[in-house]
Amino acid sequence: MAKISSIEGRILYNSRGSKTIEVDVKTDNKFLGRVCAPSGASVGKYEAVSFPNNNPEDSLRILKENSQKFIGLESSDLKAIHDVLKTLDGTTNYSKIGGALAFAVTIAAMESAARALDKPLFQILSSEQSFNFPFPLGNVLGGGAHAGPGTPDIQEILICATGSKTIEDAIETNLSVHKELRRVLEKEDPSFTNGRGDEGGWAPKLENQKALEISAKACENLGFTLGKEVSLGVDFASSTQWNEEKSKYEYSRAGFENSTGEQIEFAASIIEKFKLIYAEDAVHEEAFEDMAELTAKFPKTLITGDDLTVTNKEILKKAIEKKSCNAAILKVNQAGSLFDALEFADEATKNNIKLITSHRSGESTDSQISHIGLATKSKMLKVGIVGGERVAKLNELLRLSEHDLIRGMAEI
Ligand code: PGA
Ligand code: ZN
């Protein structure tokens, strides 16, 4: 059968120019799976640790010392590969071997298995016979941990072509809003440099409300009605603003502070005013009750956990019990191995939590997450709009549109 014949790693750079690890898994000496691990800037407190001692070289050394343990395993046996990693690690958060290593080894093995079986990766990861495209959700304007001083405190304003019937139209629509937004920003501020944040969203000198208004205007200029052809989303990434000692959210760029109650009102007013389809981490990562208030109030909006749920099945169970969210981000490297992430996805699906498969702000040009989004029946795929490492994921969706098992767009 198809067995792993070699496994090797190397140090490369991600889109932010930081060192990361890439892993090559070969099946039967010829079928290569190659995966380079991404990394976040606004990292959740309870995410898997990317590298031991923050050092990719340590993960690489561990892989080299233990490569024999993977040789001879069935490359499609995700559980067996995961178990080897867990035995090597022995911690709950991959702090010994690095979550980035677990990410790269497990996805590279599945990709190698897919090549050996001559099937696309998404089919190896799911036994379903029919698939829908997740709606691309893309960052059009950003600030927070992804851009410098003067930009909004809010991390991401996102666009989603909720009225699109095809993946081609959904991608094209997102791109058109991104382009129009640049024109609106240039008109508003002739000194706008066209600077962009880590994920390709524009990074203008604007405070939060104005940034939202201008994003809405770009949509309207194109003849779109918010909530119809297109909808806006926001990743508040509120843990960035949260000051634990003061028990306040500090919006230092805009110059105000929110108490816990004010933060809920602040998020609620933005959700209402801009008819958001999507609101991520509207309160900080441990505010399960506050998230539950928003979830109860806005059943039609995807009230989404990212830092809140960190692709961790046990934390998701807590969020489900407290009704903290109706949607959750799936970032494989938050979990560590792909096996962990798929367990999280199963738990979410069983409990009607909608999934949004997501990139990280520091990315590679790989595109396996487009397949992971399909296989996990994600409603959205949050992968940005422009920049080679973002477009790579969108282009993979376009390639996959030639596949006859994928029928149309997901129902949000
Ligand atoms: P990160 O940001 O990859 O920097 O964590 C993405 C997000 O918060 O969704
Ligand atoms: Zn986020």
Side-chain angles (χ1 to χ4, degrees), residues 42 146 155-156 158 199 234-238 278 280-281 304-308 329 331 334 358-360 382:
S42 62
H146 294 167
Q155 185 174 284
E156 301 165 31
L158 300 139
E199 293 180 349
V234 170
D235 181 0
F236 292 85
S238 299
Y278 181 87
E280 179 180 333
D281 285 343
T304 306
D306 171 17
D307 293 343
L308 183 90
I329 283 277
K331 289 171 173 167
Q334 281 183 331
S358 167
H359 64 173
R360 299 310 302 252
K382 190 184 180 212

Side-chain angles (χ1 to χ4, degrees), residues 324-338:
S324 302
C325 57
N326 57 31
I329 283 277
L330 184 141
K331 289 171 173 167
V332 176
N333 80 325
Q334 281 183 331
S337 87
L338 180 60

Side-chain angles (χ1 to χ4, degrees), residues 375-411:
T376 55
K377 297 199 176 112
S378 290
K379 301 294 180 190
M380 293 180 181
L381 188 71
K382 190 184 180 212
V383 292
I385 297 185
V386 294
E389 72 283 6
R390 315 290 154 191
V391 169
K393 283 77 172 159
L394 299 170
N395 281 344
E396 184 67 0
L397 292 179
L398 292 174
R399 284 184 204 107
L400 288 170
S401 69
E402 295 158 17
H403 206 286
D404 51 10
L405 288 186
I406 313 171
R407 303 275 146 80
M409 303 304 293
E411 255 175 59

